[in-house]
């Protein structure tokens, strides 16, 4: 998408894939980030932390996600290795300790990518840790710290984040996962917004 701001007079909200530049960040269309404290165009600098190219881990965010102000994504290099007898990251300071620079990644445990599905809502100042996968339609509560995978259409909150409830019954969740309305053409989604907003799954299925 070439468009940065979804609303003409709102400079606090951006289409995220129009402002991120890192090769290890993938963001789907229509995903938005709102920031009333900082310039939202600086999302990559302010919100994606310890994300160094040497690790090769990625941030993958689907379509139509909503990310609130101050949400953070903490990557591998923030995880000091648990294999060591010390919390100190000796391999990072290879010059100081005359170590092999090629072993720098042994300073931390590589937990892997952070993956958000589609239509995910990440609340104010929530923290998503490396290696976590969040399913489609999930909601991450305000200031939650997510250390484990979140199933589709599940609301989680707390520190560490735990399931609060499912948004819908299992039959509805299966139907939404099968429909994958977020992958439809723009015109088809536009025709279906009323059905989506009013919770009319039957009408949405007719439009499929």
């Amino acid at each position: 998408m070439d468009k940065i701001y979804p609303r003409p007079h709102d400079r606090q909200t951006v289409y995220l894939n129009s402002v991120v530049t890192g090769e290890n960040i993938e963001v789907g269309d229509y995903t938005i980030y709102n920031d009333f404290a900082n310039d939202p165009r600086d999302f990559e600098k302010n919100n994606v932390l310890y994300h160094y190219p040497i690790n090769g881990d990625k941030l993958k965010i689907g379509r139509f996600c909503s990310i609130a102000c101050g949400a953070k994504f903490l990557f591998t290099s923030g995880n000091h290795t648990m294999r060591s007898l010390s919390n100190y990251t000796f391999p990072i300071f290879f010059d100081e300790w005359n170590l092999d620079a090629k072993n720098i990644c042994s300073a931390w445990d590589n937990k892997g990518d952070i993956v958000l599905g589609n239509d995910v809502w990440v609340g104010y100042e929530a923290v998503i840790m490396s290696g976590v996968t969040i399913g489609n339609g999930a909601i991450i509560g305000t200031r939650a710290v997510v250390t484990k995978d979140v199933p589709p259409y599940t609301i989680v909150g707390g520190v560490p984040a735990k399931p609060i409830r499912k948004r819908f019954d299992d039959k509805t969740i299966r139907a939404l996962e099968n429909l994958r309305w977020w992958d439809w053409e723009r015109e088809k989604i536009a025709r279906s917004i009323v059905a989506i907003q009013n919770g009319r799954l039957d009408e949405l299925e007719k439009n499929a």
Side-chain angles (χ1 to χ4, degrees), residues 31-48:
T31 283
I32 56 172
Y33 173 61
N34 172 269
D35 199 321
F36 52 78
N38 300 292
D39 189 332
R41 294 175 297 178
D42 291 333
F43 171 86
E44 193 170 352
K45 178 181 71 175
N46 295 331
N47 304 78
V48 185

Side-chain angles (χ1 to χ4, degrees), residues 64-79:
F64 291 97
C65 292
S66 303
I67 302 175
C69 181
K72 298 290 193 295
F73 301 84
L74 269 60
F75 274 87
T76 284
S77 298
N79 294 312

Side-chain angles (χ1 to χ4, degrees), residues 64-97:
F64 291 97
C65 292
S66 303
I67 302 175
C69 181
K72 298 290 193 295
F73 301 84
L74 269 60
F75 274 87
T76 284
S77 298
N79 294 312
H80 295 199
T81 181
M82 300 300 289
R83 299 187 304 272
S84 175
L85 297 177
S86 171
N87 287 316
Y88 196 79
T89 50
F90 286 103
I92 293 177
F93 307 105
F94 51 85
D95 291 322
E96 176 72 14
W97 297 99

Side-chain angles (χ1 to χ4, degrees), residues 2-16:
D2 297 325
K3 190 176 183 181
I4 293 178
Y5 301 103
R7 302 193 299 176
H9 306 295
D10 177 6
R11 290 299 182 265
Q12 293 184 356
T13 305
V14 295
Y15 281 133
L16 206 47

Side-chain angles (χ1 to χ4, degrees), residues 20-192:
V20 297
T21 59
E23 294 182 357
N24 288 343
I25 301 179
E26 302 171 7
V27 183
D29 288 344
Y30 305 106
T31 283
I32 56 172
Y33 173 61
N34 172 269
D35 199 321
F36 52 78
N38 300 292
D39 189 332
R41 294 175 297 178
D42 291 333
F43 171 86
E44 193 170 352
K45 178 181 71 175
N46 295 331
N47 304 78
V48 185
L49 308 180
Y50 303 105
H51 193 209
Y52 304 133
I54 192 171
N55 296 309
D57 45 5
K58 294 184 177 182
L59 173 59
K60 300 179 181 180
I61 304 175
R63 306 181 95 202
F64 291 97
C65 292
S66 303
I67 302 175
C69 181
K72 298 290 193 295
F73 301 84
L74 269 60
F75 274 87
T76 284
S77 298
N79 294 312
H80 295 199
T81 181
M82 300 300 289
R83 299 187 304 272
S84 175
L85 297 177
S86 171
N87 287 316
Y88 196 79
T89 50
F90 286 103
I92 293 177
F93 307 105
F94 51 85
D95 291 322
E96 176 72 14
W97 297 99
N98 196 30
L99 301 173
D100 191 337
K102 292 185 294 185
N103 295 327
I104 189 171
C105 290
S106 65
W108 47 77
D109 295 329
N110 195 333
K111 302 292 182 68
D113 300 340
I114 296 176
V115 181
L116 275 65
N118 305 280
D119 194 27
V120 172
W121 176 17
V122 180
Y124 174 72
E125 290 190 344
V127 176
I128 316 297
M129 302 299 290
S130 60
V132 165
T133 295
I134 298 173
N136 297 318
I139 296 175
I140 310 303
T142 295
R143 290 181 171 163
V145 177
V146 185
T147 61
K148 296 181 179 179
D149 292 353
V150 178
Y153 292 94
T154 300
I155 303 171
V156 300
V159 182
K162 296 181 179 179
I164 298 172
R165 64 177 175 86
K166 293 181 179 180
R167 292 180 58 198
F168 309 112
D169 59 54
D170 290 342
K171 182 180 179 181
T172 300
I173 291 173
R174 285 195 298 270
L176 288 167
E177 290 273 72
N178 289 331
L179 281 171
R180 298 186 63 83
W181 62 263
W182 45 81
D183 287 335
W184 293 356
E185 295 294 330
R186 178 185 171 90
E187 292 74 16
K188 190 174 180 180
I189 293 173
R191 292 195 302 269
S192 304

